[in-house]
Amino acid sequence: MFQAKALTFQFESPCVAFAASYMQGIAFDHYMVLLHFYPNSLVLSNWQAFAQEFSSKFGLFNTVAEAEENLFNLWMRNNKQFTTFIVCFKKEAYKTGWNYNALQFALCCTLPQCIKDILCLASKQLSYDGYKALVTQIDQWNSNWQTGAAAGNRTTSAALPPNSATQPPFERGPANTN
């Protein structure tokens, strides 16, 4: 990076400032302490000193490991919409470099039990995109069903026509064969 912009990064201070602009958490807090209380510190103006200081205190930053950790700690809550949740999931998922089968498995692990229960009844989706589409339909159906239940409008599926929106999406018949 620094060689690509040789004029911008001809001195070491801009290199340090550029690297610091990507810091987060405790590493950023440490940088701010140095900046405020030790403004003449060699760490703030010398790339080697900066790299040694931060790698010795915080280790090398590994975005893949961080993304994997974030995925393992990610859970879709019962009251959260899947369309909102999938954005957070994708943000971390694509940083991992995992293939679609691994992403589909990780996504399944993050879903609430109410969606997993319905997924067990559906036909197996072979593609990651098909799986996301099915989960989106199930979540929308589940949300509509819960909204109707809260209003006292819950009806039994036996009294409904086959293409009714109160049935899970995978039971709707030929109109929903993607």
mmCIF file with all atom_site columns, all heavy atoms in Angstrom, residues 95-114:
data_model
loop_
_atom_site.group_PDB
_atom_site.id
_atom_site.type_symbol
_atom_site.label_atom_id
_atom_site.label_alt_id
_atom_site.label_comp_id
_atom_site.label_asym_id
_atom_site.label_entity_id
_atom_site.label_seq_id
_atom_site.pdbx_PDB_ins_code
_atom_site.Cartn_x
_atom_site.Cartn_y
_atom_site.Cartn_z
_atom_site.occupancy
_atom_site.B_iso_or_equiv
_atom_site.pdbx_formal_charge
_atom_site.auth_seq_id
_atom_site.auth_comp_id
_atom_site.auth_asym_id
_atom_site.auth_atom_id
_atom_site.pdbx_PDB_model_num
ATOM 1   N N   . LYS A 1 95  ? -16.413 -12.337 4.516  1.00 0.00 ? 95  LYS A N   1
ATOM 2   C CA  . LYS A 1 95  ? -15.021 -12.103 4.928  1.00 0.00 ? 95  LYS A CA  1
ATOM 3   C C   . LYS A 1 95  ? -14.292 -13.416 5.202  1.00 0.00 ? 95  LYS A C   1
ATOM 4   O O   . LYS A 1 95  ? -13.069 -13.459 5.200  1.00 0.00 ? 95  LYS A O   1
ATOM 5   C CB  . LYS A 1 95  ? -14.979 -11.248 6.204  1.00 0.00 ? 95  LYS A CB  1
ATOM 6   C CG  . LYS A 1 95  ? -15.443 -9.834  6.027  1.00 0.00 ? 95  LYS A CG  1
ATOM 7   C CD  . LYS A 1 95  ? -15.402 -9.129  7.381  1.00 0.00 ? 95  LYS A CD  1
ATOM 8   C CE  . LYS A 1 95  ? -16.100 -7.804  7.375  1.00 0.00 ? 95  LYS A CE  1
ATOM 9   N NZ  . LYS A 1 95  ? -16.132 -7.214  8.736  1.00 0.00 ? 95  LYS A NZ  1
ATOM 10  N N   . THR A 1 96  ? -15.052 -14.484 5.459  1.00 0.00 ? 96  THR A N   1
ATOM 11  C CA  . THR A 1 96  ? -14.440 -15.756 5.840  1.00 0.00 ? 96  THR A CA  1
ATOM 12  C C   . THR A 1 96  ? -13.830 -16.501 4.664  1.00 0.00 ? 96  THR A C   1
ATOM 13  O O   . THR A 1 96  ? -12.908 -17.284 4.839  1.00 0.00 ? 96  THR A O   1
ATOM 14  C CB  . THR A 1 96  ? -15.466 -16.693 6.495  1.00 0.00 ? 96  THR A CB  1
ATOM 15  O OG1 . THR A 1 96  ? -16.469 -17.019 5.540  1.00 0.00 ? 96  THR A OG1 1
ATOM 16  C CG2 . THR A 1 96  ? -16.079 -16.066 7.734  1.00 0.00 ? 96  THR A CG2 1
ATOM 17  N N   . GLY A 1 97  ? -14.365 -16.298 3.473  1.00 0.00 ? 97  GLY A N   1
ATOM 18  C CA  . GLY A 1 97  ? -13.903 -17.049 2.315  1.00 0.00 ? 97  GLY A CA  1
ATOM 19  C C   . GLY A 1 97  ? -14.466 -18.461 2.267  1.00 0.00 ? 97  GLY A C   1
ATOM 20  O O   . GLY A 1 97  ? -14.022 -19.292 1.475  1.00 0.00 ? 97  GLY A O   1
ATOM 21  N N   . TRP A 1 98  ? -15.455 -18.760 3.098  1.00 0.00 ? 98  TRP A N   1
ATOM 22  C CA  . TRP A 1 98  ? -16.066 -20.083 3.133  1.00 0.00 ? 98  TRP A CA  1
ATOM 23  C C   . TRP A 1 98  ? -16.871 -20.319 1.850  1.00 0.00 ? 98  TRP A C   1
ATOM 24  O O   . TRP A 1 98  ? -17.378 -19.385 1.237  1.00 0.00 ? 98  TRP A O   1
ATOM 25  C CB  . TRP A 1 98  ? -17.005 -20.224 4.316  1.00 0.00 ? 98  TRP A CB  1
ATOM 26  C CG  . TRP A 1 98  ? -16.332 -20.229 5.656  1.00 0.00 ? 98  TRP A CG  1
ATOM 27  C CD1 . TRP A 1 98  ? -14.997 -20.256 5.911  1.00 0.00 ? 98  TRP A CD1 1
ATOM 28  C CD2 . TRP A 1 98  ? -16.979 -20.184 6.925  1.00 0.00 ? 98  TRP A CD2 1
ATOM 29  N NE1 . TRP A 1 98  ? -14.770 -20.245 7.262  1.00 0.00 ? 98  TRP A NE1 1
ATOM 30  C CE2 . TRP A 1 98  ? -15.973 -20.204 7.910  1.00 0.00 ? 98  TRP A CE2 1
ATOM 31  C CE3 . TRP A 1 98  ? -18.301 -20.140 7.323  1.00 0.00 ? 98  TRP A CE3 1
ATOM 32  C CZ2 . TRP A 1 98  ? -16.254 -20.190 9.264  1.00 0.00 ? 98  TRP A CZ2 1
ATOM 33  C CZ3 . TRP A 1 98  ? -18.584 -20.119 8.674  1.00 0.00 ? 98  TRP A CZ3 1
ATOM 34  C CH2 . TRP A 1 98  ? -17.568 -20.148 9.627  1.00 0.00 ? 98  TRP A CH2 1
ATOM 35  N N   . ASN A 1 99  ? -17.032 -21.587 1.486  1.00 0.00 ? 99  ASN A N   1
ATOM 36  C CA  . ASN A 1 99  ? -17.866 -21.915 0.331  1.00 0.00 ? 99  ASN A CA  1
ATOM 37  C C   . ASN A 1 99  ? -19.341 -21.844 0.743  1.00 0.00 ? 99  ASN A C   1
ATOM 38  O O   . ASN A 1 99  ? -19.661 -21.694 1.922  1.00 0.00 ? 99  ASN A O   1
ATOM 39  C CB  . ASN A 1 99  ? -17.495 -23.284 -0.258 1.00 0.00 ? 99  ASN A CB  1
ATOM 40  C CG  . ASN A 1 99  ? -17.797 -24.437 0.673  1.00 0.00 ? 99  ASN A CG  1
ATOM 41  O OD1 . ASN A 1 99  ? -18.702 -24.379 1.509  1.00 0.00 ? 99  ASN A OD1 1
ATOM 42  N ND2 . ASN A 1 99  ? -17.044 -25.504 0.541  1.00 0.00 ? 99  ASN A ND2 1
ATOM 43  N N   . TYR A 1 100 ? -20.223 -21.962 -0.255 1.00 0.00 ? 100 TYR A N   1
ATOM 44  C CA  . TYR A 1 100 ? -21.648 -21.788 0.020  1.00 0.00 ? 100 TYR A CA  1
ATOM 45  C C   . TYR A 1 100 ? -22.222 -22.862 0.934  1.00 0.00 ? 100 TYR A C   1
ATOM 46  O O   . TYR A 1 100 ? -23.140 -22.602 1.699  1.00 0.00 ? 100 TYR A O   1
ATOM 47  C CB  . TYR A 1 100 ? -22.440 -21.705 -1.289 1.00 0.00 ? 100 TYR A CB  1
ATOM 48  C CG  . TYR A 1 100 ? -22.235 -20.395 -2.014 1.00 0.00 ? 100 TYR A CG  1
ATOM 49  C CD1 . TYR A 1 100 ? -21.857 -20.366 -3.347 1.00 0.00 ? 100 TYR A CD1 1
ATOM 50  C CD2 . TYR A 1 100 ? -22.423 -19.183 -1.356 1.00 0.00 ? 100 TYR A CD2 1
ATOM 51  C CE1 . TYR A 1 100 ? -21.677 -19.162 -4.006 1.00 0.00 ? 100 TYR A CE1 1
ATOM 52  C CE2 . TYR A 1 100 ? -22.236 -17.982 -2.003 1.00 0.00 ? 100 TYR A CE2 1
ATOM 53  C CZ  . TYR A 1 100 ? -21.860 -17.970 -3.332 1.00 0.00 ? 100 TYR A CZ  1
ATOM 54  O OH  . TYR A 1 100 ? -21.676 -16.783 -3.966 1.00 0.00 ? 100 TYR A OH  1
ATOM 55  N N   . ASN A 1 101 ? -21.703 -24.071 0.878  1.00 0.00 ? 101 ASN A N   1
ATOM 56  C CA  . ASN A 1 101 ? -22.199 -25.114 1.787  1.00 0.00 ? 101 ASN A CA  1
ATOM 57  C C   . ASN A 1 101 ? -21.900 -24.762 3.235  1.00 0.00 ? 101 ASN A C   1
ATOM 58  O O   . ASN A 1 101 ? -22.745 -24.947 4.117  1.00 0.00 ? 101 ASN A O   1
ATOM 59  C CB  . ASN A 1 101 ? -21.579 -26.475 1.436  1.00 0.00 ? 101 ASN A CB  1
ATOM 60  C CG  . ASN A 1 101 ? -22.101 -27.022 0.125  1.00 0.00 ? 101 ASN A CG  1
ATOM 61  O OD1 . ASN A 1 101 ? -23.198 -26.690 -0.302 1.00 0.00 ? 101 ASN A OD1 1
ATOM 62  N ND2 . ASN A 1 101 ? -21.306 -27.855 -0.521 1.00 0.00 ? 101 ASN A ND2 1
ATOM 63  N N   . ALA A 1 102 ? -20.692 -24.266 3.489  1.00 0.00 ? 102 ALA A N   1
ATOM 64  C CA  . ALA A 1 102 ? -20.321 -23.870 4.850  1.00 0.00 ? 102 ALA A CA  1
ATOM 65  C C   . ALA A 1 102 ? -21.155 -22.676 5.305  1.00 0.00 ? 102 ALA A C   1
ATOM 66  O O   . ALA A 1 102 ? -21.594 -22.613 6.461  1.00 0.00 ? 102 ALA A O   1
ATOM 67  C CB  . ALA A 1 102 ? -18.834 -23.539 4.921  1.00 0.00 ? 102 ALA A CB  1
ATOM 68  N N   . LEU A 1 103 ? -21.394 -21.718 4.407  1.00 0.00 ? 103 LEU A N   1
ATOM 69  C CA  . LEU A 1 103 ? -22.214 -20.556 4.755  1.00 0.00 ? 103 LEU A CA  1
ATOM 70  C C   . LEU A 1 103 ? -23.652 -20.972 5.057  1.00 0.00 ? 103 LEU A C   1
ATOM 71  O O   . LEU A 1 103 ? -24.266 -20.460 5.993  1.00 0.00 ? 103 LEU A O   1
ATOM 72  C CB  . LEU A 1 103 ? -22.184 -19.518 3.631  1.00 0.00 ? 103 LEU A CB  1
ATOM 73  C CG  . LEU A 1 103 ? -20.858 -18.806 3.412  1.00 0.00 ? 103 LEU A CG  1
ATOM 74  C CD1 . LEU A 1 103 ? -20.966 -17.864 2.216  1.00 0.00 ? 103 LEU A CD1 1
ATOM 75  C CD2 . LEU A 1 103 ? -20.424 -18.054 4.652  1.00 0.00 ? 103 LEU A CD2 1
ATOM 76  N N   . GLN A 1 104 ? -24.177 -21.916 4.272  1.00 0.00 ? 104 GLN A N   1
ATOM 77  C CA  . GLN A 1 104 ? -25.542 -22.387 4.513  1.00 0.00 ? 104 GLN A CA  1
ATOM 78  C C   . GLN A 1 104 ? -25.640 -23.071 5.870  1.00 0.00 ? 104 GLN A C   1
ATOM 79  O O   . GLN A 1 104 ? -26.595 -22.855 6.618  1.00 0.00 ? 104 GLN A O   1
ATOM 80  C CB  . GLN A 1 104 ? -25.959 -23.341 3.392  1.00 0.00 ? 104 GLN A CB  1
ATOM 81  C CG  . GLN A 1 104 ? -27.403 -23.769 3.475  1.00 0.00 ? 104 GLN A CG  1
ATOM 82  C CD  . GLN A 1 104 ? -27.839 -24.537 2.238  1.00 0.00 ? 104 GLN A CD  1
ATOM 83  O OE1 . GLN A 1 104 ? -27.261 -24.399 1.171  1.00 0.00 ? 104 GLN A OE1 1
ATOM 84  N NE2 . GLN A 1 104 ? -28.862 -25.336 2.383  1.00 0.00 ? 104 GLN A NE2 1
ATOM 85  N N   . PHE A 1 105 ? -24.647 -23.872 6.216  1.00 0.00 ? 105 PHE A N   1
ATOM 86  C CA  . PHE A 1 105 ? -24.641 -24.529 7.523  1.00 0.00 ? 105 PHE A CA  1
ATOM 87  C C   . PHE A 1 105 ? -24.551 -23.487 8.645  1.00 0.00 ? 105 PHE A C   1
ATOM 88  O O   . PHE A 1 105 ? -25.288 -23.563 9.635  1.00 0.00 ? 105 PHE A O   1
ATOM 89  C CB  . PHE A 1 105 ? -23.463 -25.504 7.620  1.00 0.00 ? 105 PHE A CB  1
ATOM 90  C CG  . PHE A 1 105 ? -23.350 -26.153 8.968  1.00 0.00 ? 105 PHE A CG  1
ATOM 91  C CD1 . PHE A 1 105 ? -24.186 -27.196 9.313  1.00 0.00 ? 105 PHE A CD1 1
ATOM 92  C CD2 . PHE A 1 105 ? -22.423 -25.703 9.896  1.00 0.00 ? 105 PHE A CD2 1
ATOM 93  C CE1 . PHE A 1 105 ? -24.095 -27.801 10.571 1.00 0.00 ? 105 PHE A CE1 1
ATOM 94  C CE2 . PHE A 1 105 ? -22.326 -26.284 11.150 1.00 0.00 ? 105 PHE A CE2 1
ATOM 95  C CZ  . PHE A 1 105 ? -23.167 -27.336 11.485 1.00 0.00 ? 105 PHE A CZ  1
ATOM 96  N N   . ALA A 1 106 ? -23.651 -22.504 8.486  1.00 0.00 ? 106 ALA A N   1
ATOM 97  C CA  . ALA A 1 106 ? -23.502 -21.459 9.512  1.00 0.00 ? 106 ALA A CA  1
ATOM 98  C C   . ALA A 1 106 ? -24.796 -20.665 9.653  1.00 0.00 ? 106 ALA A C   1
ATOM 99  O O   . ALA A 1 106 ? -25.207 -20.331 10.766 1.00 0.00 ? 106 ALA A O   1
ATOM 100 C CB  . ALA A 1 106 ? -22.335 -20.533 9.157  1.00 0.00 ? 106 ALA A CB  1
ATOM 101 N N   . LEU A 1 107 ? -25.445 -20.372 8.529  1.00 0.00 ? 107 LEU A N   1
ATOM 102 C CA  . LEU A 1 107 ? -26.708 -19.632 8.571  1.00 0.00 ? 107 LEU A CA  1
ATOM 103 C C   . LEU A 1 107 ? -27.768 -20.427 9.314  1.00 0.00 ? 107 LEU A C   1
ATOM 104 O O   . LEU A 1 107 ? -28.484 -19.876 10.156 1.00 0.00 ? 107 LEU A O   1
ATOM 105 C CB  . LEU A 1 107 ? -27.179 -19.297 7.152  1.00 0.00 ? 107 LEU A CB  1
ATOM 106 C CG  . LEU A 1 107 ? -28.495 -18.543 7.032  1.00 0.00 ? 107 LEU A CG  1
ATOM 107 C CD1 . LEU A 1 107 ? -28.435 -17.217 7.782  1.00 0.00 ? 107 LEU A CD1 1
ATOM 108 C CD2 . LEU A 1 107 ? -28.840 -18.315 5.572  1.00 0.00 ? 107 LEU A CD2 1
ATOM 109 N N   . CYS A 1 108 ? -27.837 -21.708 9.035  1.00 0.00 ? 108 CYS A N   1
ATOM 110 C CA  . CYS A 1 108 ? -28.811 -22.562 9.723  1.00 0.00 ? 108 CYS A CA  1
ATOM 111 C C   . CYS A 1 108 ? -28.592 -22.533 11.236 1.00 0.00 ? 108 CYS A C   1
ATOM 112 O O   . CYS A 1 108 ? -29.545 -22.476 12.004 1.00 0.00 ? 108 CYS A O   1
ATOM 113 C CB  . CYS A 1 108 ? -28.716 -23.985 9.197  1.00 0.00 ? 108 CYS A CB  1
ATOM 114 S SG  . CYS A 1 108 ? -29.889 -25.103 9.977  1.00 0.00 ? 108 CYS A SG  1
ATOM 115 N N   . CYS A 1 109 ? -27.345 -22.538 11.648 1.00 0.00 ? 109 CYS A N   1
ATOM 116 C CA  . CYS A 1 109 ? -27.031 -22.529 13.085 1.00 0.00 ? 109 CYS A CA  1
ATOM 117 C C   . CYS A 1 109 ? -27.460 -21.240 13.773 1.00 0.00 ? 109 CYS A C   1
ATOM 118 O O   . CYS A 1 109 ? -27.698 -21.227 14.976 1.00 0.00 ? 109 CYS A O   1
ATOM 119 C CB  . CYS A 1 109 ? -25.533 -22.739 13.296 1.00 0.00 ? 109 CYS A CB  1
ATOM 120 S SG  . CYS A 1 109 ? -24.985 -24.401 12.861 1.00 0.00 ? 109 CYS A SG  1
ATOM 121 N N   . THR A 1 110 ? -27.567 -20.155 13.015 1.00 0.00 ? 110 THR A N   1
ATOM 122 C CA  . THR A 1 110 ? -27.899 -18.857 13.617 1.00 0.00 ? 110 THR A CA  1
ATOM 123 C C   . THR A 1 110 ? -29.400 -18.608 13.717 1.00 0.00 ? 110 THR A C   1
ATOM 124 O O   . THR A 1 110 ? -29.817 -17.653 14.367 1.00 0.00 ? 110 THR A O   1
ATOM 125 C CB  . THR A 1 110 ? -27.282 -17.695 12.803 1.00 0.00 ? 110 THR A CB  1
ATOM 126 O OG1 . THR A 1 110 ? -27.887 -17.658 11.508 1.00 0.00 ? 110 THR A OG1 1
ATOM 127 C CG2 . THR A 1 110 ? -25.787 -17.831 12.668 1.00 0.00 ? 110 THR A CG2 1
ATOM 128 N N   . LEU A 1 111 ? -30.202 -19.442 13.071 1.00 0.00 ? 111 LEU A N   1
ATOM 129 C CA  . LEU A 1 111 ? -31.644 -19.193 13.002 1.00 0.00 ? 111 LEU A CA  1
ATOM 130 C C   . LEU A 1 111 ? -32.356 -19.587 14.291 1.00 0.00 ? 111 LEU A C   1
ATOM 131 O O   . LEU A 1 111 ? -31.937 -20.521 14.973 1.00 0.00 ? 111 LEU A O   1
ATOM 132 C CB  . LEU A 1 111 ? -32.242 -19.979 11.833 1.00 0.00 ? 111 LEU A CB  1
ATOM 133 C CG  . LEU A 1 111 ? -31.744 -19.589 10.448 1.00 0.00 ? 111 LEU A CG  1
ATOM 134 C CD1 . LEU A 1 111 ? -32.295 -20.542 9.401  1.00 0.00 ? 111 LEU A CD1 1
ATOM 135 C CD2 . LEU A 1 111 ? -32.087 -18.152 10.119 1.00 0.00 ? 111 LEU A CD2 1
ATOM 136 N N   . PRO A 1 112 ? -33.464 -18.917 14.604 1.00 0.00 ? 112 PRO A N   1
ATOM 137 C CA  . PRO A 1 112 ? -34.249 -19.297 15.786 1.00 0.00 ? 112 PRO A CA  1
ATOM 138 C C   . PRO A 1 112 ? -34.948 -20.640 15.554 1.00 0.00 ? 112 PRO A C   1
ATOM 139 O O   . PRO A 1 112 ? -35.195 -21.044 14.412 1.00 0.00 ? 112 PRO A O   1
ATOM 140 C CB  . PRO A 1 112 ? -35.258 -18.159 15.935 1.00 0.00 ? 112 PRO A CB  1
ATOM 141 C CG  . PRO A 1 112 ? -35.339 -17.520 14.605 1.00 0.00 ? 112 PRO A CG  1
ATOM 142 C CD  . PRO A 1 112 ? -34.017 -17.741 13.938 1.00 0.00 ? 112 PRO A CD  1
ATOM 143 N N   . GLN A 1 113 ? -35.277 -21.310 16.620 1.00 0.00 ? 113 GLN A N   1
ATOM 144 C CA  . GLN A 1 113 ? -35.869 -22.646 16.537 1.00 0.00 ? 113 GLN A CA  1
ATOM 145 C C   . GLN A 1 113 ? -37.185 -22.654 15.774 1.00 0.00 ? 113 GLN A C   1
ATOM 146 O O   . GLN A 1 113 ? -37.482 -23.602 15.053 1.00 0.00 ? 113 GLN A O   1
ATOM 147 C CB  . GLN A 1 113 ? -36.056 -23.227 17.941 1.00 0.00 ? 113 GLN A CB  1
ATOM 148 C CG  . GLN A 1 113 ? -36.361 -24.708 17.942 1.00 0.00 ? 113 GLN A CG  1
ATOM 149 C CD  . GLN A 1 113 ? -35.257 -25.541 17.317 1.00 0.00 ? 113 GLN A CD  1
ATOM 150 O OE1 . GLN A 1 113 ? -34.090 -25.344 17.594 1.00 0.00 ? 113 GLN A OE1 1
ATOM 151 N NE2 . GLN A 1 113 ? -35.627 -26.466 16.457 1.00 0.00 ? 113 GLN A NE2 1
ATOM 152 N N   . CYS A 1 114 ? -37.973 -21.590 15.876 1.00 0.00 ? 114 CYS A N   1
ATOM 153 C CA  . CYS A 1 114 ? -39.269 -21.567 15.181 1.00 0.00 ? 114 CYS A CA  1
ATOM 154 C C   . CYS A 1 114 ? -39.087 -21.661 13.664 1.00 0.00 ? 114 CYS A C   1
ATOM 155 O O   . CYS A 1 114 ? -39.889 -22.298 12.978 1.00 0.00 ? 114 CYS A O   1
ATOM 156 C CB  . CYS A 1 114 ? -40.075 -20.323 15.559 1.00 0.00 ? 114 CYS A CB  1
ATOM 157 S SG  . CYS A 1 114 ? -39.293 -18.751 15.137 1.00 0.00 ? 114 CYS A SG  1
#
